[in-house]
Amino acid sequence: MLFVKDLERMTAFYRDVLGLEPVEETRLDNWLEFKGEGVRFALHAIPTTIAAGISIETPPRVRESGGTKFTFAVRDVDATLRTIEAMGLPLLERPWGGIEAVDPEGNVFALERAA
């Protein structure tokens, strides 16, 4: 689960850019799950009173110091990275040769090719 400030914007990103499928049966005003092969990923809106004090920059400040990093399987890694970059979101080139991406709220994640 990932806590987010703007649930609608983040839902659109993970649905439209990464191709995750929302689970409508469990959707709430502050919660949305996505289903994948053997896994569920959810977005949970930060309470409004707390979210009001959070500022998200454009492009967002990269948040790399968290204890969790997600990896998402997509059909075409290169095309997905181009889409993310075209949105003005940072791509992070790693010393080991990998490239990671950043979502609209600054969360870093990795991509791999779907089987």
Side-chain angles (χ1 to χ4, degrees):
M1 177 182 64
L2 184 62
F3 283 98
V4 299
K5 177 177 179 175
D6 187 335
L7 184 61
E8 287 186 34
R9 181 179 185 195
M10 295 293 279
T11 295
F13 178 82
Y14 284 99
R15 180 193 60 223
D16 301 341
V17 177
L18 298 187
L20 298 179
E21 185 178 341
V23 178
E24 296 300 331
E25 300 81 38
T26 60
R27 184 189 288 246
L28 301 171
D29 290 342
N30 66 348
W31 174 266
L32 178 71
E33 287 182 80
F34 295 94
K35 62 182 170 182
E37 291 187 34
V39 115
R40 291 239 176 162
F41 170 68
L43 299 176
H44 192 308
I46 296 170
T48 307
T49 55
I50 296 170
I54 297 172
S55 175
I56 304 292
E57 302 162 5
T58 302
R61 181 178 53 83
V62 176
R63 298 179 355 194
E64 290 196 84
S65 60
T68 303
K69 184 187 304 176
F70 295 106
T71 299
F72 296 99
V74 296
R75 293 186 194 283
D76 187 333
V77 172
D78 292 332
T80 303
L81 290 171
R82 284 192 301 273
T83 298
I84 292 167
E85 188 173 41
M87 296 173 72
L89 297 169
L91 298 181
L92 309 172
E93 293 189 36
R94 301 303 189 186
W96 59 85
I99 298 176
E100 295 176 333
V102 177
D103 74 15
E105 293 195 3
N107 301 294
V108 176
F109 62 92
L111 295 174
E112 67 180 20
R113 190 170 58 89

